[in-house]
């Protein structure tokens, strides 16, 4: 069950549950006229969202509410937000000044480098204390708005990064307000909206332009008029409420019929306002048609508003007064068992775990701490299990605890509980109203939960907690809760902090609330005196002795009183009003001596004293007791009572008061009964033979009667002995039955705990299986061959790609890696390299080739666990075959590029001719010497450069030079572009492909030193 805090007006005193501490009820603060105030928070991307929001406001109607804008602003730059918003709305827009009064139909904007709160209708500016980047101005303002306006508060979270506003959303929902978040799809930065939505408390997810219409509709439904306080919740008929509870029970399995009606009424009214439904019957019809709304109402009833170390002073007291007691008297290593009921999202349970861990570290002791944290809200339990909380928890947790017990994730926007704290807790869904409780607990934390449930259920839960706690266990309640009328079960450790110590319940062996977890064969029924319990056993199994005794008690009613050595009354039987009357003065413990009527007081006191000193039965006969103006004769008997039970350490006495019979009264008046001798002797000498005969017969019958009485007494003794044996057997059977009952209850509690642990382990197995599947798919998807080897050089795991390099099959897992034949060529030092990495912890990388001709980069690095323990190595093979080929191609291209550079930079004219003499290549020196550009030359034939006298045979001579048939250099001549003839020295060589076929000739031409003067 999720704990919440309700701040509605308290109901009249006579209707309040007995377990609510009225001294903690705080009246709501009022300031002038109440009207809705909308707090809007934004960060990055907020300007566009603000403009879109105000553009959606009606252009011709005042909204009748105020808007306060809180944005993360640069502290050293003047804000232009006021001017920008003024262009988008007809309302007056102000930059807030300290103490400015909030008026309807106005917009207020926070100034730079200031935090802001709302108090008594005014906006208060505060100089920030937290360093830049750690400030949470939206949370701060939303909290103050909720505390001041309660259900009139409306909060909106717009675009922004981080989680500012999340705790403020919880505060507004705690007070019954309304919350809207910008839809992530419409947000420029969705960090803040997503964080608010993740709480499960957001009423609407809308784009900024859609928000004004929903706010106006909501306000018009909740408020009778815009400038009045919220309308008083309508009274929901009992029949309608039962229908709604039935729908909730049918879909969720949880019964809300025993909750306080005022709590349910407020939540139903709020849901009706959100959906614009005016009539309860129409809302019931909507619930029947929309299962999602039933779930939403269920979540609304379970608003888990909590935080770390809520009520810091209370937790300080818990740390100082309770935590040491939990470990006191226990041997090291023994379990510490705690139950956190209604744990919601887990902050309170984790807070207790942190306090226990700090104590263990301080005392350097080791105990097995088990904290069972339960709730009926599955989403809240999922959040608690994840242990991830927004960065705004820094307001509630000290920096020292943040660094020790939390890990920062997602660039500082999320804090995760560390493993050593998480392992202390077991989270489970459990309804403590219907599910068996845990047992033998050292502490139960049930804070801010009892205030939401009815008085009848509250009075069942407190004895249930008493049963679940071990002797000396601690009950930890909320600041507005008490143990009520159960002061005989708990004694206060600290009343202000609501810490209670379990007391031994001397007068009750089994709490009446436990009967709902037991089969109907055995029930527990409370007598008119609550502290005395009587067991009702099936009539078929009822012993004959007990049946006889009950019948006799009904026929012969004798007044009896069970008292202790001081005369304090523990139990009354029969009608004692004739002999006892209440004493004057303050009513407290009733004492039989003080209550004795006139004529009984002295004898009763004396007889009780004699019984205490002698430990024997004491009788006083024919006492004259004054009753209603006349005297009644009564016989007083006091019998010592032996209670074979450890709970009754004091000696007990049974006081029996029986009216004296008429015959005994007459005998007492004559100083005792008359004997036969006295009757006969009284006849004197006038007795005759008949009288003597009668006397003889009387004496004979007297002897016979005495003999019969002796025989009867002997038989009675035998029967008594048999009866005692039967009684002893019956008591043993009863004791065995009680032990079996206790064992059954313990087994049920243990079974519940095992179920809880099993659920936790199943969740962990699911997570582990998912992680394993993800890892397997990741390793297979990358295509990287990977082999995991332990410290003994045995194979732990490998990916399918590894079989292409080393001959591995599934049965090779567990075998030494050195026993496996690899396909690597020229590399046989794998074992040496693995051992070297294990010794030095330095990664090693080298290139290897397989028999298939493929190349791989092999990397060997240590296998590290999360705890930074080396448990082997990881060998990976990355295919670099294509990279190798690309490298070779690159080398060839480089070589060709180098040759091209030589040809380009040469001072000789270098040309390439095909077999027909067409020019295929032309270097810059050729252009310099002959004048034609490369573009022009590539369209020419060698014949175009030859003087006419050598054109016919020059191409053939070039072929001969290339073939080596003419010595080189060969002197010849060429024409340039201007038509001049130039003498040149020529060398040539054939160019052939890989097959040896000549496809061209490379010709090098150098001009001679002589001048041509023609």
């Amino acid at each position: 069950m999720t704990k919440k805090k309700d701040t509605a007006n308290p109901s009249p005193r006579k209707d309040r549950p007995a377990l609510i501490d009225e001294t903690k009820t705080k009246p709501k603060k009022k300031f002038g006229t109440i009207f809705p105030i909308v707090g809007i928070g934004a960060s990055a991307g907020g300007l566009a969202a603000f403009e879109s929001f105000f553009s959606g406001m009606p252009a011709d109607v005042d909204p009748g509410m105020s808007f306060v804008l809180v944005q993360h602003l640069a502290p050293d730059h003047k804000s232009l937000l006021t001017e920008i918003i003024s262009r988008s709305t007809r309302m007056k827009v102000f930059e807030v000044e300290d103490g400015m009064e909030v008026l309807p139909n106005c917009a207020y904007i926070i100034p730079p480098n200031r935090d802001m709160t709302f108090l008594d209708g005014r906006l208060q500016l505060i100089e920030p204390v937290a360093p830049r980047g750690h400030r949470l101005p939206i949370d701060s303002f939303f909290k103050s708005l909720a505390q001041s306006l309660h259900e009139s508060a409306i909060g909106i979270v717009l675009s922004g990064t981080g989680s500012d506003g999340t705790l403020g959303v919880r505060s507004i929902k705690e007070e019954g307000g309304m919350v809207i978040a910008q839809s992530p799809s419409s947000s420029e930065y969705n960090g803040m909206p997503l964080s608010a939505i993740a709480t499960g408390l957001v009423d609407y997810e809308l784009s900024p332009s859609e928000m004004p219409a929903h706010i106006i509709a909501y306000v018009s439904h909740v408020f009778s008029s815009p400038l009045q306080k919220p309308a008083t919740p309508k009274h929901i008929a009992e029949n309608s409420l039962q229908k709604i509870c039935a729908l909730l029970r049918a879909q969720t399995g949880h019964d809300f019929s025993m909750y306080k009606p005022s709590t349910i009424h407020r939540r139903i009214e709020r849901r009706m306002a959100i959906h614009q439904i005016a009539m309860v019957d129409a809302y019931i019809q909507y619930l029947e048609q929309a299962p999602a709304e039933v779930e939403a109402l269920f979540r609304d009833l379970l608003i888990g508003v909590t935080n770390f170390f809520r009520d810091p002073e209370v937790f300080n007291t818990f740390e100082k007064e309770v935590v040491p007691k939990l470990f006191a008297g226990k041997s090291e290593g023994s379990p510490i068992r705690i139950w956190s009921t209604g744990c919601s999202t887990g902050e309170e349970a984790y807070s207790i775990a942190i306090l226990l861990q700090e104590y263990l570290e301080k005392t350097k002791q080791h105990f097995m701490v088990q904290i069972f944290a339960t709730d009926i809200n599955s989403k809240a339990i999922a959040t608690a299990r994840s242990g991830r909380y927004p960065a705004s928890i820094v307001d509630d947790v000290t920096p020292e605890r943040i660094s020790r017990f939390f890990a920062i994730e997602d660039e500082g926007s999320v804090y995760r509980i560390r493993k050593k704290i998480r392992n202390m807790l077991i989270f489970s869904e459990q309804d403590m109203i219907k599910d068996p409780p845990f047992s033998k607990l050292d502490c139960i934390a049930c804070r801010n939960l009892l205030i939401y449930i009815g008085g009848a259920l509250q009075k069942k839960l407190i004895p249930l907690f008493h049963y679940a706690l071990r002797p000396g266990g601690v009950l930890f309640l909320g600041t507005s809760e008490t143990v009520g009328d159960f002061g005989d079960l708990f004694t206060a450790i600290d009343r202000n902090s609501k810490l209670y110590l379990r007391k031994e319940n001397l007068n009750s062996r089994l709490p009446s609330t436990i009967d709902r977890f037991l089969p109907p064969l055995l029930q527990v029924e409370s007598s008119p005196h609550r502290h005395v319990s009587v067991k009702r056993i099936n009539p078929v199994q009822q012993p004959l002795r007990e049946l006889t005794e009950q019948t006799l008690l009904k026929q012969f009613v004798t007044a009896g009183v069970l008292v202790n050595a001081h005369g304090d009354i523990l139990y009354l039987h029969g009608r004692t009003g004739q002999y006892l009357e209440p004493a004057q003065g303050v009513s407290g413990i009733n004492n039989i001596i003080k209550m004795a009527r006139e004529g009984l007081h002295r004898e009763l006191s004396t007889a009780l004293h004699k019984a205490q000193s002698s430990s024997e039965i004491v009788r006083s006969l024919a006492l004259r007791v004054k009753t209603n103006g006349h005297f009644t004769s009564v016989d007083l008997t006091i019998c010592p009572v032996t209670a074979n039970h450890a709970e009754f350490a004091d000696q007990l006495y049974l006081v029996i008061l029986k009216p004296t019979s008429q015959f005994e009264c007459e005998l007492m008046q004559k100083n005792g009964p008359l004997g036969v001798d006295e009757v006969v002797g009284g006849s004197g000498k006038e007795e005759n033979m008949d009288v003597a005969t009668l006397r003889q017969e009387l004496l004979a019958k007297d002897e016979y009667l005495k003999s019969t009485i002796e025989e009867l007494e002997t038989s009675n003794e035998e029967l008594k002995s048999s009866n005692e044996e039967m009684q002893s057997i019956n008591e043993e059977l009863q004791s065995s039955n009680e032990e079996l009952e206790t064992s059954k209850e313990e087994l049920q509690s243990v079974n519940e705990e095992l179920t809880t642990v099993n659920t936790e382990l199943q969740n962990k197995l699911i997570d582990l299986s998912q992680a394993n599947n993800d890892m397997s798919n990741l390793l297979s998807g990358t295509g990287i061959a990977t082999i995991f080897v332990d410290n003994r050089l045995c194979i732990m795991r490998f990916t399918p790609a590894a079989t292409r390099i080393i001959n591995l099959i599934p049965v090779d897992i567990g075998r030494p890696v050195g026993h496996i034949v690899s396909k690597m060529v020229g590399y046989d030092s794998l074992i040496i390299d693995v051992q070297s990495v294990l010794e030095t912890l330095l990664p090693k990388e080298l290139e290897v080739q397989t028999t298939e001709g493929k190349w791989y980069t092999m990397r060997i690095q240590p296998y590290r666990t999360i705890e930074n323990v080396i448990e082997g190595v990881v060998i990976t093979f990355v295919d670099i075959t294509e990279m190798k080929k690309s490298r070779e191609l690159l080398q060839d291209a480089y070589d060709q590029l180098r040759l091209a550079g030589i040809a380009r930079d040469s001072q000789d004219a270098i040309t390439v001719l095909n077999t027909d003499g067409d020019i295929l290549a032309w270097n810059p020196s050729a252009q310099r010497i002959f004048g034609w550009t490369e573009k022009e030359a590539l369209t020419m034939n060698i014949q175009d450069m030859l003087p006419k006298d050598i054109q016919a045979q020059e191409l053939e001579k070039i072929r001969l030079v290339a073939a080596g048939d003419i010595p080189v250099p060969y002197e010849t001549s060429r024409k340039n572009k201007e038509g001049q003839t130039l003498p040149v020295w020529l060398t040539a060589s054939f160019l052939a492909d890989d097959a040896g076929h000549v496809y061209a000739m490379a010709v090098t031409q150098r001009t001679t030193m002589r001048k041509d003067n023609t």
Side-chain angles (χ1 to χ4, degrees):
M1 192 173 297
T2 306
K3 60 181 168 236
K4 307 152 281 193
K5 180 179 177 183
D6 198 348
T7 55
N9 288 326
S11 56
R13 184 181 181 88
K14 62 181 180 180
D15 295 331
R16 297 183 192 172
L19 304 182
I20 305 303
D21 188 352
E22 298 170 4
T23 62
K24 297 294 181 179
T25 304
K26 297 180 180 179
K28 294 182 181 179
K29 296 180 180 179
K30 304 288 184 180
F31 64 94
T33 303
I34 299 297
F35 53 88
I37 297 180
V38 182
I40 308 178
S43 180
L47 180 57
F50 283 141
E51 291 180 321
S52 178
F53 176 85
F54 284 104
S55 66
M57 296 290 295
D60 54 350
V61 179
D62 290 330
M65 61 190 87
S66 295
F67 299 88
V68 183
L69 282 61
V70 182
Q71 189 179 25
H72 296 175
L73 300 172
D76 50 357
H77 288 82
K78 179 177 176 59
S79 173
L80 300 177
L81 191 58
T82 304
E83 180 181 348
I84 295 172
I85 299 301
S86 298
R87 302 171 190 160
S88 305
T89 179
R90 58 178 283 162
M91 295 186 295
K92 296 179 179 179
V93 182
F94 303 96
E95 184 172 272
V96 176
E97 297 178 358
D98 190 25
M100 179 175 284
E101 182 180 4
V102 178
L103 300 175
N105 305 316
C106 295
Y108 300 88
I109 298 175
I110 188 172
N113 200 30
R114 287 292 183 272
D115 286 343
M116 183 168 61
T117 61
F118 180 82
L119 181 64
D120 295 336
R122 296 182 180 275
L123 297 171
Q124 311 293 338
L125 297 180
I126 305 171
E127 187 171 347
V129 177
R132 186 178 179 183
H134 295 273
R135 300 171 187 170
L136 303 171
I138 303 174
D139 276 332
S140 176
F141 180 73
F142 279 7
K143 287 179 182 179
S144 66
L145 192 67
Q147 292 168 359
S148 296
L149 296 187
H150 306 285
E151 65 273 12
S152 300
I154 299 174
I156 299 177
V157 178
L158 297 179
S159 173
T161 59
S163 60
D164 193 11
T166 301
L167 292 183
V169 165
R170 291 181 178 273
S171 298
I172 291 175
K173 294 299 292 183
E174 177 183 358
E175 300 295 342
M178 195 261 282
V179 173
I180 303 176
Q182 184 174 353
S183 58
S185 60
S186 67
S187 304
E188 185 175 349
Y189 298 91
N190 59 14
M192 283 170 46
L194 284 176
S195 181
I197 293 169
T199 64
L201 305 177
V202 172
D203 297 304
Y204 298 102
E205 296 177 34
L206 304 169
S207 64
S209 59
E210 297 173 323
M211 294 177 183
H214 284 79
I215 294 173
I216 293 173
Y218 172 81
V219 169
S220 64
H221 187 278
V222 174
F223 291 70
S224 56
S225 68
L227 296 180
Q228 292 182 3
K229 65 180 182 180
T232 303
K234 303 172 185 176
H235 176 72
I236 300 177
E238 183 68 23
N239 185 42
S240 299
L241 190 61
Q242 290 301 325
K243 288 181 181 179
I244 294 175
C245 289
L247 290 171
L248 286 167
R249 182 170 58 249
Q251 182 164 326
T252 68
H254 300 293
D255 186 6
F256 288 89
S257 61
M258 301 188 75
Y259 273 51
K260 290 170 62 178
S262 58
T263 299
I264 301 179
H265 288 184
R266 279 191 297 273
R267 304 306 179 197
I268 294 174
E269 281 290 316
R270 213 185 65 80
R271 295 303 306 174
M272 291 172 62
I274 290 174
H275 293 289
Q276 307 298 301
I277 298 176
M279 303 302 295
V280 176
D281 291 340
Y283 184 65
I284 293 175
Q285 186 176 3
Y286 179 61
L287 286 173
E288 292 172 344
Q289 298 171 353
E293 177 59 21
V294 178
E295 186 68 20
L297 177 59
F298 172 69
R299 300 295 176 194
D300 248 21
L301 289 168
L302 301 178
I303 294 176
V305 179
T306 183
N307 50 271
F308 285 94
F309 301 100
R310 189 176 186 177
D311 304 318
E313 294 181 358
V314 173
F315 270 92
N316 288 338
T317 304
F318 181 84
E319 180 182 12
K320 295 176 182 177
E321 300 294 336
V322 175
V323 173
K325 287 185 173 65
L326 298 179
F327 298 92
K330 289 197 173 187
S331 59
E332 192 163 347
S334 58
I336 304 296
R337 296 163 56 85
I338 297 174
W339 182 17
S340 177
T341 65
C343 69
S344 186
T345 47
E347 288 91 332
E348 187 171 274
Y350 282 125
S351 299
I352 294 174
I354 288 173
L355 294 180
L356 298 183
Q357 181 63 28
E358 287 178 338
Y359 180 83
L360 291 175
E361 293 177 359
K362 179 181 178 181
T363 58
K364 297 181 180 180
Q365 294 178 311
H366 175 72
F367 288 86
M368 185 176 68
V369 177
Q370 294 177 318
I371 301 178
F372 303 97
T374 62
D375 200 283
I376 63 175
N377 189 338
S378 58
K379 288 186 177 180
I381 286 293
T383 301
R385 283 189 179 129
S386 69
R388 289 167 54 91
Y389 297 97
S392 49
I393 65 170
V394 296
D395 286 349
D396 305 312
V397 185
T398 63
E400 190 267 340
R401 283 174 173 161
I402 288 286
S403 62
R404 289 175 59 191
F405 304 117
F406 293 86
I408 301 176
E409 297 182 355
D410 296 346
E411 298 180 354
S413 62
V414 173
Y415 288 80
R416 182 190 288 274
I417 288 285
R418 292 193 184 275
K419 189 176 181 181
K420 62 181 177 181
I421 299 297
R422 178 63 183 85
N423 289 343
M424 291 183 176
L425 290 100
I426 299 174
F427 291 99
S428 173
E429 291 183 52
Q430 185 198 41
D431 188 346
M432 69 177 183
I433 296 176
K434 64 179 182 180
D435 295 331
F438 299 98
S439 63
K440 298 181 179 178
L441 299 168
D442 296 282
C443 178
I444 294 178
C446 180
R447 306 192 71 234
N448 303 314
L449 172 60
L450 298 178
I451 56 176
Y452 290 98
I453 58 181
L457 182 57
Q458 291 176 6
K459 293 181 180 179
K460 291 182 179 180
L461 290 179
I462 295 299
L464 179 69
F465 293 156
H466 182 271
Y467 164 77
L469 287 168
R470 65 167 180 79
V474 176
L475 178 61
F476 190 10
L477 298 180
T479 55
S480 298
E481 300 162 340
T482 69
V483 295
D485 296 332
F486 295 94
D488 57 333
L489 301 182
F490 293 93
T491 183
I493 299 176
D494 188 297
R495 293 192 181 276
N496 292 332
S497 301
K498 307 303 178 184
L499 295 168
Y500 297 90
L501 186 68
R502 181 189 188 274
K503 292 168 58 177
E504 286 299 317
N505 186 14
L506 299 179
N507 299 319
S508 178
R509 305 242 354 226
L510 188 66
S512 60
T513 50
I514 304 301
D515 60 356
R516 68 179 186 273
F517 305 125
L518 299 178
L521 178 64
L522 181 64
Q523 297 179 349
V524 178
E525 184 182 49
S526 296
S527 69
H529 298 276
R530 183 174 57 81
H531 56 277
V532 180
S533 62
V534 180
K535 291 184 180 177
R536 182 185 298 166
I537 304 177
N538 193 316
V540 177
Q541 300 177 350
Q542 195 172 19
L544 294 177
R545 173 177 175 270
E546 184 175 348
L547 180 62
T548 304
E549 290 176 350
Q550 290 182 358
T551 304
L552 288 172
L553 286 174
K554 292 179 181 178
Q555 296 298 322
F556 303 99
V557 180
T558 301
V561 184
L562 185 66
V563 300
N564 59 16
H566 302 289
D568 297 332
I569 297 176
L570 302 178
Y571 189 83
L572 295 172
H573 176 77
R575 302 183 63 179
T576 59
Q578 291 181 329
Y579 320 112
L580 305 175
E581 63 179 353
Q584 294 182 355
V586 179
S587 177
I589 299 175
N590 294 320
N591 189 278
I592 191 172
I593 297 175
K594 295 181 180 179
M595 294 178 63
R597 291 183 179 271
E598 182 181 344
L600 180 62
H601 182 277
R602 184 180 61 185
E603 292 295 335
L604 178 61
S605 178
T606 303
L608 182 60
H609 179 72
K610 289 181 180 179
Q612 293 177 15
S613 59
S614 63
S615 299
E616 296 179 352
I617 297 175
V618 178
R619 293 187 176 88
S620 295
L621 305 179
L623 301 178
R624 290 173 56 80
V625 179
K626 187 174 182 179
T627 306
N628 297 330
H630 63 277
F631 288 90
T632 302
S633 182
V634 60
D635 293 339
L636 169 65
T637 304
I638 299 181
C639 305
V641 176
T642 301
N644 296 323
H645 200 286
E647 293 180 351
F648 300 103
D650 297 335
Q651 177 68 50
L652 305 181
Y653 301 90
L654 181 62
V655 179
I656 302 173
L657 299 168
K658 182 179 68 174
T660 305
S661 64
Q662 186 64 30
F663 178 71
E664 289 175 343
C665 287
E666 293 176 356
L667 289 180
M668 291 300 295
Q669 290 175 358
K670 297 179 180 180
N671 297 322
L674 298 176
V676 176
D677 293 337
E678 295 174 352
V679 174
V680 176
S683 60
K685 296 179 180 180
E686 295 178 357
E687 78 177 338
N688 49 30
M689 291 298 295
D690 294 334
V691 175
T693 301
L694 291 173
R695 185 172 62 179
Q696 285 297 113
E697 291 177 358
L698 184 60
L699 291 174
K701 289 183 178 181
D702 186 50
E703 290 294 331
Y704 176 75
L705 182 59
K706 287 181 180 180
S707 175
T708 303
I709 290 173
E710 289 176 358
E711 292 177 0
L712 181 61
E713 288 178 351
T714 302
S715 299
N716 284 339
E717 289 294 331
E718 293 175 355
L719 289 173
K720 185 177 180 181
S721 176
S722 299
N723 184 48
E724 290 175 352
E725 291 178 2
M726 294 298 295
Q727 185 177 1
S728 176
I729 293 173
N730 184 49
E731 290 175 353
E732 291 177 2
L733 290 175
Q734 287 181 344
S735 176
S736 299
N737 185 43
E738 291 172 357
E739 291 176 0
L740 289 174
E741 291 171 11
T742 303
S743 299
K744 183 176 183 179
E745 294 157 14
E746 293 176 354
L747 286 175
Q748 286 178 329
S749 295
V750 171
N751 184 55
E752 179 68 21
E753 294 171 14
L754 290 176
T755 301
T756 300
V757 174
N758 185 49
T759 302
E760 184 81 7
L761 291 177
Q762 285 178 343
N763 289 325
K764 289 185 177 180
L765 284 175
I766 292 172
D767 294 341
L768 184 60
S769 176
Q770 183 64 42
N772 189 46
N773 292 334
D774 293 344
M775 182 60 67
S776 297
N777 283 279
L778 175 63
L779 293 175
S780 300
T782 58
I784 298 176
T786 307
I787 304 174
F788 297 90
V789 180
D790 62 17
N791 289 324
R792 298 180 293 113
L793 305 187
C794 293
I795 297 172
M796 296 189 296
R797 184 184 300 174
F798 60 87
T799 61
T803 58
R804 298 196 295 265
I805 303 165
I806 299 178
N807 295 320
L808 290 170
I809 57 177
V811 296
D812 289 332
I813 294 177
R815 294 180 59 191
V817 69
H819 291 184
I820 312 299
V821 177
S822 74
K823 300 179 182 179
M824 291 181 286
V825 178
Y827 177 72
D828 55 2
S829 58
L830 178 62
I831 301 301
I832 297 173
D833 290 340
V834 169
Q835 291 175 335
S836 173
V837 171
L838 284 174
E839 293 173 358
T840 63
L841 302 182
L842 297 176
K844 179 168 288 191
E845 185 175 305
L846 62 156
E847 294 181 357
V848 295
Q849 186 180 21
T850 65
T851 55
E852 297 174 352
K854 291 190 174 183
W855 285 88
Y856 295 88
T857 296
M858 181 179 72
R859 182 177 176 83
I860 308 173
Q861 60 185 12
Y863 180 99
R864 297 178 184 270
T865 65
I866 296 176
E867 290 79 16
N868 200 29
V869 177
I870 305 301
E871 293 187 353
V873 297
V874 181
I875 308 172
T876 58
F877 296 87
V878 179
D879 191 344
I880 59 171
T881 303
E882 295 299 326
M883 188 187 300
K884 274 280 189 181
K885 292 179 179 179
S886 299
R887 190 183 299 169
E888 293 174 358
L889 292 174
L890 224 82
Q891 185 62 41
D892 292 342
Y894 175 75
D895 293 342
Q896 293 177 5
L897 184 63
R898 186 174 57 181
L899 291 175
I902 293 172
R904 184 188 68 240
D905 298 336
S906 173
Q907 297 299 310
D908 296 330
I910 300 176
T911 60
V912 177
L913 308 177
N914 63 14
T915 56
D916 295 329
D918 296 327
I919 299 174
L920 302 178
W922 185 265
N923 76 340
S925 292
Q927 178 178 344
R928 176 176 53 80
I929 295 171
F930 299 115
W932 285 285
T933 65
E934 182 180 12
K935 184 177 180 181
E936 293 170 335
L938 294 179
T939 62
M940 297 168 56
N941 190 281
I942 191 63
Q943 297 291 340
D944 299 330
M945 299 177 60
L946 300 177
K948 290 182 179 181
D949 56 344
I950 62 173
Q951 287 182 353
Q953 70 275 15
E954 185 67 17
L955 183 59
E956 182 62 27
K957 287 184 178 181
I958 293 175
R959 292 194 187 100
L960 293 173
V961 172
D965 294 336
I966 297 178
V968 293
Y970 161 67
E971 186 177 7
T972 183
S973 61
R974 294 286 188 268
K975 289 195 307 181
N976 63 12
K977 187 175 181 180
E978 285 77 18
Q980 297 175 345
T981 300
L982 302 176
V984 296
W985 293 99
L986 181 146
T987 62
S989 61
F990 286 125
L991 300 179
D993 57 19
D994 293 339
H997 299 124
V998 175
Y999 64 89
M1001 296 176 292
V1003 179
T1004 303
Q1005 301 164 100
R1006 178 182 298 174
T1007 59
T1008 60
M1009 299 301 295
R1010 67 181 177 82
K1011 303 285 184 179
D1012 189 353
N1013 299 321
T1014 60

